[in-house]
Amino acid sequence: MPRSYSTPGLRLAAGAAEPREAVRDLQRDLRMLGYLAAGIDGVFGKGTEDAIRALQYDLLHNSGKGPDGQAPVAMRDYNRGRVTSPDGILEEKLAAILEEMIEDERFGKVPESADPAAENQKIRRGLAEMKPGLVPAPFLISILKQESGLRHFNEDGFVVVGLDRNASGKPAVTSRGFGVGQYTLFHHPPSQSEIADFVLDPLANVQKAARKLLDKFERFVNGNTPGTRADDRQAEFGRGPLRRCKYEPADPRYMTACRQGLAGVSRVDIRSGVTKLYDGASRCYEPSKSHVRTEYLGVPARNEIGCDWPYAARRYNGGGLDSYHYQTQVLLRVAGG
């Protein structure tokens, strides 16, 4: 089906007096194809230009292979010599490619809902129905709030998608987080089975996030290799057994009374360039591209908390400086309820 932006001779670029309806349709399709996180407003601004550049880059380079698997189709197979550079401009040839992607059933599209608010209400039900004792709900909820504001669908109707751009000097989108738990894929596009597994359904996405948090707890906090150990945990508790909760499983507070548990620990202030990531660390907390905040006040003292979930929460975000910012913000959310 022809799109409004595929009119012969139409050329859309940043700063031009473009037809707003054509730009809006283009933005919706870029959103559906996983290249735009937000901004369906009919204005061809930097966000739309960056989305076009990322798409063009993929048409030139993306074979569909990522560290987590193979995409159902290679993006560069759509190109057939029609795109030669990531210039951020939409013209007829690129519009034709977009139409082909949209019509290709192999290309997993970002789902859209006519009632995103109703879909988002399912998240609370999913949390309530989660298997007790799998992971501590207060930590999981704090992570979901941090990842997506506890939303699976955005106000524009599409599933929330987080776009990471970590390829220095390149316009590529390097990974995408989907839905309330921002479960990340490093290949693109996703398959239809991946869309059905955790992208479409908020409840399935919550369950996926819970399993991911459990996996980080069991395999990336106290493992046998540097990549499977949390440096802060090793510095503060060594290689002792993993601690699921300071309460026994028969206690009704087991893996539920996290806020109350944090209320009994000391508070620390974290300041940029002063506070070490952990005792003995070579680095201090400092601003990063993703976390510009430089000061956190009244953070629950990590080394006094009677479980290892703070370390698992950090590893949910990966590693490095950003993960320590992430961990701090999760602890503040858990403590604040």
Side-chain angles (χ1 to χ4, degrees):
M1 177 181 176
R3 328 298 283 188
S4 63
Y5 55 79
S6 63
T7 303
L10 183 63
R11 183 176 185 272
L12 301 179
E18 63 278 331
R20 294 182 68 94
E21 190 60 34
V23 174
R24 189 175 291 108
D25 288 346
L26 170 63
Q27 290 169 333
R28 288 187 62 83
D29 287 348
L30 289 170
R31 184 83 168 85
M32 178 171 57
L33 294 171
Y35 286 92
L36 190 68
I40 302 175
D41 56 10
V43 177
F44 198 122
K46 186 177 186 303
T48 304
E49 183 180 36
D50 287 346
I52 291 289
R53 289 184 188 278
L55 170 61
Q56 292 169 323
Y57 184 87
D58 275 359
L59 289 169
L60 291 166
H61 301 285
N62 189 347
S63 66
K65 186 176 182 180
D68 56 348
Q70 179 71 36
V73 62
M75 290 291 298
R76 65 189 184 193
D77 287 350
Y78 291 106
N79 193 1
R80 302 193 299 280
R82 289 177 285 184
V83 168
T84 58
S85 66
D87 58 14
I89 298 170
L90 179 108
E91 41 69 44
E92 289 183 53
K93 292 180 180 178
L94 183 57
I97 295 173
L98 282 166
E99 290 181 355
E100 292 173 17
M101 291 178 180
I102 291 165
E103 293 172 2
D104 191 342
E105 294 182 356
R106 297 173 298 171
F107 196 120
K109 317 299 192 300
V110 176
E112 185 178 11
S113 170
D115 192 351
E119 290 294 322
N120 287 338
Q121 289 175 2
K122 295 179 181 179
I123 296 169
R124 293 288 184 180
R125 190 172 80 230
L127 290 166
E129 295 174 353
M130 190 174 64
K131 180 182 177 181
L134 180 68
V135 298
F139 270 92
L140 179 61
I141 292 170
S142 295
I143 286 171
L144 298 180
K145 286 180 178 179
Q146 191 154 319
E147 291 286 351
S148 64
L150 211 60
R151 294 174 302 124
H152 191 72
F153 284 88
N154 209 344
E155 292 178 357
D156 62 11
F158 286 99
V159 165
V160 174
V161 179
L163 306 179
D164 289 329
R165 303 174 185 272
N166 298 321
S168 179
K170 299 176 182 178
V173 173
T174 51
S175 65
R176 292 165 175 81
F178 292 93
V180 57
Q182 287 293 283
Y183 191 85
T184 301
L185 293 180
F186 294 88
H187 61 267
H188 189 71
S191 67
Q192 293 294 350
S193 63
E194 287 167 334
I195 296 293
D197 180 32
F198 63 90
V199 177
L200 176 62
D201 184 0
L203 303 184
N205 195 278
V206 168
Q207 293 164 358
K208 193 85 168 178
R211 291 194 294 271
K212 177 181 175 181
L213 179 58
L214 179 61
D215 183 64
K216 296 300 181 181
F217 179 89
E218 293 180 337
R219 298 179 56 228
F220 292 91
V221 170
N222 199 25
N224 295 319
T225 64
T228 61
R229 292 197 295 265
D231 292 339
D232 45 350
R233 201 271 187 182
Q234 304 307 309
E236 292 161 1
F237 291 100
R239 295 297 309 283
L242 281 169
R243 302 165 303 146
R244 289 186 181 273
C245 185
K246 71 177 185 178
Y247 302 113
E248 295 297 322
D251 192 313
R253 295 171 294 180
Y254 179 72
M255 297 242 283
T256 61
C258 305
R259 185 183 182 189
Q260 297 92 314
L262 266 60
V265 306
S266 304
R267 293 293 192 267
V268 297
D269 296 337
I270 293 175
R271 291 186 167 85
S272 175
V274 175
T275 308
K276 298 284 189 182
L277 298 180
Y278 53 87
D279 286 345
S282 60
R283 296 191 68 180
C284 294
Y285 286 85
E286 58 189 25
S288 71
K289 181 179 178 181
S290 300
H291 299 279
V292 298
R293 186 173 178 179
T294 60
E295 183 177 81
Y296 303 96
L297 303 179
V299 181
R302 189 178 54 209
N303 62 338
E304 296 181 18
I305 299 171
C307 69
D308 286 318
W309 291 104
Y311 309 107
R314 181 173 73 78
R315 298 312 300 268
Y316 190 97
N317 185 246
L321 175 63
D322 282 346
S323 71
Y324 285 91
H325 282 283
Y326 188 93
Q327 178 191 60
T328 300
Q329 292 165 20
V330 168
L331 287 174
L332 287 169
R333 288 184 185 278
V334 173

